[in-house]
Amino acid sequence: MRKTWLIVIIAVGVCFSFLALLVIGTYSAAASLLGGGGAVGLAPGAVPAAYQPLVERYGTMCPAISPPLLAAQLYTESGWNPNARSGVGAEGIAQFMPDTWATHGIDANGDGKPDVWDPADAIPSAAAYDCQLAQDVKGVPGDNTDNMLAAYNAGAYAVIAAQGIPAYAETRDYVKSIRTLAQSFSAPVGRVPPTQQAAGAIEFAQSKLGTPYLWGGTGTAADNGRFDCSGLTQAAYHSVGIELPRVANDQWNAGPHPGRDELLPGDLVFFATDLTDPRSIHHVGIYVGGGYMIDAPHTGASIRFDPIDVPDYIGATRVTQAGAQALPSPSASH
């Protein structure tokens, strides 16, 4: 992958109108201008508005957790579904097993009943359980938050016995993925570094300009090479070795969220019916600069350039390999 972008001039004529987009940039120059850094608090729109106050309040219950970390756990456990029930019997938005809930569920909303199906009880209970696990493993060498996450997955005894994260692939992957996924819920401090894969993703999307839209299309031979919006973005990043989920609102969590004035070519840009709820995302495109994206818009249209500054714009994601790999897949819960 080249580390330098050449000047790309893209012109599209429709009847007598003409759109010219100039995308200029170099990865080396961008890297010197864009600082990295940690993150504090939740990124705007990262957590559904109904749960944001709970995550912000209880995500600071102890030093081992933070609102973005708690958000990453809840998203991983249930995808924000308060009615989720797993194949092994875990229940609610925080996916507590009944035995665990019986000892760790709390009546946080004061209605007289600890209710695993009520996020107002389940989210505070998840935070309290994290903090209890952090206390249980506080004497174990290493990072307390990492050890807490390992205990959440494998049990505190396993962490104490191993004197750190146990050598279970599932547990190590859980710790790594939650830590990475937390970045997609964090409000960035400073500007988010660019990725080297972005230019290749844009190049792929450009090669599909003029291709007719197909609902559910992923570009296969059976689809005659046609795409829908998330099929196009998935294929574009697949072409550079990053595997994104199939659905647009799952692609939202594949990396950190730059602000509108921080967008770089290659960022995914998203559109939603409810700007307070990322679960309502209904469309995605690939930003190319100048306020425009390449997208597969709708039935009857073809892949084209469209402006991003429309009322249903909810935000953007700077896709990273680690962020994509951290996205959850169905698994057993604690």
Side-chain angles (χ1 to χ4, degrees):
M1 178 66 61
R2 296 190 307 270
K3 291 188 177 180
T4 302
W5 287 356
L6 299 177
I7 295 177
V8 180
I9 300 178
I10 306 167
V12 175
V14 180
C15 297
F16 296 103
S17 65
F18 178 81
L19 170 64
L21 300 180
L22 183 62
V23 180
I24 305 175
T26 66
Y27 284 117
S28 56
S32 68
L33 292 173
L34 306 179
V40 176
L42 294 172
V47 173
Y51 308 129
Q52 183 172 334
L54 290 166
V55 173
E56 289 180 329
R57 177 179 177 184
Y58 292 100
T60 59
M61 184 177 283
C62 66
I65 63 174
S66 66
L69 189 86
L70 181 59
Q73 283 188 292
L74 295 167
Y75 175 73
T76 297
E77 295 296 333
S78 69
W80 303 113
N81 179 5
N83 301 311
R85 188 193 299 270
S86 79
V88 297
E91 299 174 335
I93 197 169
Q95 288 290 276
F96 276 96
M97 294 296 289
D99 288 348
T100 308
W101 181 258
T103 55
H104 294 283
I106 59 177
D107 176 23
N109 63 2
D111 66 358
K113 176 188 176 183
D115 186 354
V116 73
W117 303 108
D118 186 347
D121 287 342
I123 291 175
S125 296
Y129 185 49
D130 279 343
C131 292
Q132 180 60 58
L133 290 172
Q135 182 69 18
D136 292 344
V137 299
K138 68 177 182 179
V140 176
D143 183 87
N144 186 239
T145 296
D146 287 348
N147 289 334
M148 175 271 291
L149 290 170
Y152 191 93
N153 179 262
Y157 177 79
V159 175
I160 294 169
Q163 285 295 281
I165 301 173
Y168 308 146
E170 177 186 329
T171 301
R172 296 195 170 200
D173 288 346
Y174 182 82
V175 173
K176 180 181 178 181
S177 63
I178 293 296
R179 284 291 217 171
T180 302
L181 189 61
Q183 297 175 26
S184 80
F185 290 98
S186 300
V189 175
R191 295 174 72 88
V192 182
T195 64
Q196 295 184 4
Q197 293 92 342
I202 289 177
E203 184 177 1
F204 179 93
Q206 284 181 244
S207 73
K208 304 303 177 183
L209 286 168
T211 303
Y213 175 95
L214 176 67
W215 186 86
T218 57
T220 64
D223 296 332
N224 292 321
R226 294 176 292 170
F227 300 88
D228 64 9
C229 65
S230 58
L232 176 64
T233 53
Q234 182 188 49
Y237 271 94
H238 172 78
S239 74
V240 293
I242 295 180
E243 301 303 328
L244 291 175
R246 176 66 185 90
V247 180
N249 59 15
D250 287 334
Q251 294 178 5
W252 167 256
N253 289 295
H257 303 294
R260 170 64 184 86
D261 62 343
E262 299 170 336
L263 291 182
L264 291 175
D267 290 345
L268 296 186
V269 284
F270 294 88
F271 307 84
T273 55
D274 180 352
L275 300 187
T276 69
D277 187 353
R279 295 175 302 172
S280 72
I281 287 171
H282 63 83
H283 189 57
V284 60
I286 300 179
Y287 188 64
V288 295
Y292 283 85
M293 64 180 170
I294 296 175
D295 68 325
H298 53 74
T299 299
S302 297
I303 294 173
R304 67 192 189 192
F305 296 106
D306 276 318
I308 70 165
D309 291 316
V310 292
D312 57 346
Y313 175 78
I314 188 173
T317 297
R318 187 151 300 153
V319 175
T320 66
Q321 182 77 264
Q325 291 175 343
L327 294 173
S329 57
S331 61
S333 299
H334 61 284

